[in-house]
Amino acid sequence: MRQIDNADVTPGSGGFAAQVADTVARVVSNDWVNAEYKLIVLDAPGLAASAEAGQFFNIECPVVGEDKPFFRRPMSTYAADPETGRVEFLYKVAGAGTRGLASLISGGTTRILGPLGVGFTLPDDVRSIVVLGRGVGLATLAPLAEMARDRGVAVTAIVSARGPEQILSVERFRAAGAKVEIVLDSDGTSAMTNVEAILRRLHAEGRADGFYTCGSNRLMLLMQKLAAELDVFGEVAMEQQMACGLGMCFCCVRNFTVEGETISKRVCWDGPVFALSEATSW
Amino acid sequence: MVDLKVDMGRGLVLANPVMPASGTFAEGLAKVVDLNGLGALVTKTITAELRGGNPTPRVAEVGNGMLNSIGIPSKGIDQFLDEALPFYRRFSSPLIVSISAPTVDDFGRAAARLNVEGIAGIEANISCPNIEEDGKAFAMRPQTTEQAVSAMRKVTDLPLWAKLTPNTGDIASVARAAEAAGADGLVVANTILAMTIDIETMRPTLGNVMGGLSGPAVKPIALRMTYQCARAVDIPVIGCGGIASAEDAVEFLLAGARAVQVGTATFTRPGTMDEVIAGITEYCRRKGFNAVAELGAALNADMLAPDVMEAAQ
Ligand SMILES: Cc1cc2nc3c(=O)[nH]c(=O)nc-3n(C[C@H](O)[C@H](O)[C@H](O)COP(=O)(O)OP(=O)(O)OC[C@H]3O[C@@H](n4cnc5c(N)ncnc54)[C@H](O)[C@@H]3O)c2cc1C
Ligand SMILES: Cc1cc2nc3c(=O)[nH]c(=O)nc-3n(C[C@H](O)[C@H](O)[C@H](O)COP(=O)(O)O)c2cc1C
Ligand code: FES
């Protein structure tokens, strides 16, 4: 979005069409969903609301007291609806930036830059998928369940959490028609051996042509191993500290294995969603 | 109508005095901002050799600014000419290619390869380590500055800007050396060497231990250096460091800069350069200047003795 009219100083700007907007978004609500997470609903019509599953925004976080976040903070699109112009983020209140974000009240505004990055893909021959996530990773995966539903693809969501209080997004997954399996640290069901058994069973039942994961290195490694063994399509959404979010600063690099070679890629530009087979441990 | 054009010498005239700082700009900005509206485009520094860049974390927030130890990851000049150049040629703004090299001769060889259609000028990032001089940045000293700039001047007729480092004791002498060696302009300046430590982990915050400070925190220092350089040389000076608004940019233009570069601010507000262009125009109108080029001679600083300022270093 061009905030200012500078037609007289930018000859040739006539044909310019932005693909990413720095939208001044208005807060509709910003409420706690559990002890650690808040859901912010923003009025952000235009390009922002066209964000697709897996794409993210770089969000300006207000300065509050001693908290002076200088960079913006990257957040996955939890929901975006071009019809209502609403964009939502589900975020964990962690440090200076997210504390600032948590301070926003309805009617307030902040800038959100996006949609950014490359989102999830659903190849045509993938008819059933498993999404496996933990913590904030579930926020990233929730819109994928809806995208799959809209394409008639069956979804099983494996939701991993420390205990029942930390379970996130289950209603979103169920509303999208997904079968939900909850695995917890508190009762031991989140152990890798159990999650592996669930994945193998789903695959044997013909419910897993695609694997998608976010939010846990160990879960990513497990899915990567099984995807290779069972020849299943897979993607992972990655995180890394960011400054620009637009592929310009090269601070968000991670290593990937592409055709046997280690290659550095920018999470904000080449991702944040990557082929599961290329990911390396983080 | 305010005339925003600035003459950078050697036939290079920019439509306005605002351009991105090297390393803070890439193809991605074209998704948000109309690049045709910028005075020039300046690439991330490229090198002839392939380079991997530094370990992560590569950035840290500090007060009103940032530290970076990105380094200069580079896929080489061939890759730049084959892949990036065609992209930038789609825009009308002149393209300035930033180059760096580990030795004087390599600077010459790199510059010689850029006599290519679509490249309007060279910005030599001589703020990087000189491996023949114990890793000291070329622009730390007048002599190594002179050597690097001369090596490039011999092989190119393109406008040649030298980007100076603030990590030197006597920037005016470095500026004069670059001018004497044939530079057409000076970019003042690069990041300030700095570090931070996380007291909880008791580790340096950056994977590389030290990094460069940029953003609003460095502005007064960059402004002072711009002023000193503009007084020391006759070639145009391009002010750079902490510019985040039109007001900041006007300060640099009043200090004697012919043009300005915006870096870190684009990370936090991608539309900053557009706002700076519009705001400079508005300032000129309000103050009754017909042309932005008039700002360079407008500073009321007669009361200041520059020698005293240099002595204060
Ligand atoms: C593409 C992407 C999507 C994300 N989506 C979500 C989401 O939907 N919900 C959510 O709660 N979190 C998400 N995160 C993580 C979120 O960006 C961090 O939790 C947040 O930046 C923490 O900032 P802070 O100031 O509160 O924490 P601090 O720890 O004070 O942050 C210090 C610095 O580290 C960076 N940082 C800290 N943790 C992370 C992290 N996990 N990933 C990247 N940078 C980090 C911060 O941006 C900041 O620069 C996402 C990250 C990425 C890269
Ligand atoms: C992430 C980052 C990468 C940079 N990379 C380069 C570079 O490749 N070459 C260069 O000459 N300067 C580089 N710089 C320095 C900037 O061009 C500029 O001189 C400096 O950041 C000061 O301006 P600012 O405060 O507006 O950012 C970089 C700065 C940052 C923050
Ligand atoms: S955050 Fe700047 S390149 Fe990815």
Side-chain angles (χ1 to χ4, degrees), chain B residues 21-23 44-45 68 70 125 163 189-191 214-215 240-242 263-264 267:
Chain B
S22 174
K44 169 86 187 161
T45 299
N68 90 81
I70 305 291
N125 176 5
K163 182 160 177 185
N190 216 306
T191 54
S214 64
C240 176
T264 303
F267 296 164

Side-chain angles (χ1 to χ4, degrees), chain A residues 2 13 70-72 250, chain B residues 31 34 58 61 268 274:
Chain A
R2 309 203 79 179
S13 65
F70 181 74
F71 299 137
R72 294 187 180 202
F250 284 81
Chain B
K31 290 180 186 258
D34 182 3
R58 290 177 166 188
E61 301 178 306
T268 47
D274 277 354

Side-chain angles (χ1 to χ4, degrees), chain A residues 2 4 8-10 13 16 18-20 60 69-73 111 113 241 244 246 248-251 253 269, chain B residues 1 4 23 26 28 30-34 37 58-59 61 65 70 264 267-270 274-275 277 281 285:
Chain A
R2 309 203 79 179
I4 44 167
D8 62 338
V9 295
T10 53
S13 65
F16 178 69
Q19 291 165 268
V20 171
E60 205 168 83
F70 181 74
F71 299 137
R72 294 187 180 202
R73 298 295 191 257
R111 283 171 185 257
L113 179 73
Q241 189 186 16
C244 70
L246 272 172
M248 304 193 290
C249 71
F250 284 81
C251 81
V253 294
W269 184 254
Chain B
M1 227 358 221
L4 289 180
K31 290 180 186 258
V32 198
V33 169
D34 182 3
R58 290 177 166 188
V59 294
E61 301 178 306
I70 305 291
T264 303
F267 296 164
T268 47
R269 285 276 178 104
D274 277 354
E275 288 170 21
I277 296 165
T281 314
R285 249 185 224 135

Side-chain angles (χ1 to χ4, degrees), chain B residues 289-309:
Chain B
F289 293 106
N290 293 319
V292 72
E294 294 167 17
L295 291 179
L299 186 70
N300 295 315
D302 307 341
M303 72 294 266
L304 297 181
D307 299 350
V308 175
M309 297 193 54

